[in-house]
Amino acid sequence: MRKTQKEILYRLLQYSLFEESQNDRNDMNEDALFEYPWFESYFTEKDREACFIREAESERLLGFVMVNTYMQKGGSGHSIAEFMVLPKFRRNKIGKKAAVMCFEKYPESWEVSPSCGSEQAYLFWKNVIDEYTDKKNEYEDGIFRFSKIPVDNPK
């Protein structure tokens, strides 16, 4: 990711953290920024990946996703660390398509923790994951857990 893209991602992340701050305990610091200690790791560690969500035809920026291999409940797999679609583009399946693309890129175990205290985030992820897994997932302690083995790669 180029430096300008990194700066854009940071600004989008700040917007997302601001939006989440309505429900969690994350406060701005003295520089009016929300702390995110793992941000630089997305550019230095191979087990972390950040991508923009863009409109296919125009390449217009619609949001972002950050994925890592930190599993809160143990085991190995991938986790959605941060995920945001700009409000203007929500409710038209852009987020669902982006989430499924992530799940398909790493067809193994997954954990997804909806934004703490956000009913909207919980319902979004519940609907996406239920459809993706045919309702074969677990939800405990605020974390969805699931795996889906691709049909062309049975174990």
Side-chain angles (χ1 to χ4, degrees):
M1 188 172 273
R2 296 187 320 263
K3 183 178 179 186
T4 55
Q5 292 176 313
K6 184 176 175 182
E7 291 169 359
I8 292 167
L9 179 65
Y10 189 74
R11 287 194 299 270
L12 284 172
L13 176 63
Q14 286 298 306
Y15 179 80
S16 179
L17 294 172
F18 164 76
E19 195 173 36
E20 291 175 6
S21 73
Q22 297 176 57
N23 299 309
D24 66 19
R25 295 186 175 148
N26 195 5
D27 290 322
M28 289 188 307
N29 63 22
E30 293 298 316
D31 295 321
L33 296 171
F34 290 91
E35 299 289 337
Y36 196 82
W38 311 279
F39 184 75
E40 289 299 323
S41 300
Y42 281 86
F43 305 96
T44 60
E45 296 179 13
K46 66 179 177 82
D47 293 338
R48 296 178 187 263
E49 181 179 6
C51 302
F52 291 122
I53 301 170
R54 294 190 178 274
E55 188 173 59
E57 305 83 47
S58 69
E59 288 292 307
R60 178 171 46 174
L61 187 59
L62 307 176
F64 73 96
V65 60
M66 296 168 77
V67 175
N68 64 41
T69 57
Y70 174 69
M71 302 288 279
Q72 296 180 64
K73 296 287 187 176
S76 63
H78 282 82
S79 174
I80 300 282
E82 301 296 333
F83 187 95
M84 189 210 39
V85 173
L86 295 167
K88 177 179 179 177
F89 303 108
R90 292 178 186 166
R91 302 199 186 284
N92 56 12
K93 303 199 187 302
I94 291 167
K96 177 183 173 185
K97 288 177 190 175
V100 168
M101 285 175 73
C102 288
F103 302 154
E104 294 293 318
K105 184 173 183 177
Y106 302 106
E108 53 198 32
S109 296
W110 277 91
E111 287 186 353
V112 177
S113 303
S115 179
C116 182
S118 171
E119 185 70 14
Q120 182 179 356
Y122 166 79
L123 291 173
F124 167 78
W125 285 111
K126 179 175 179 18
N127 290 332
V128 168
I129 293 168
D130 277 352
E131 184 175 328
Y132 184 73
T133 65
D134 296 324
K135 296 187 178 181
K136 293 178 178 83
N137 61 77
E138 301 170 12
Y139 182 76
E140 182 181 357
D141 299 326
I143 301 169
F144 285 100
R145 296 185 73 199
F146 63 94
S147 11
K148 185 171 179 185
I149 299 167
V151 175
D152 62 337
N153 187 20
K155 287 189 178 180

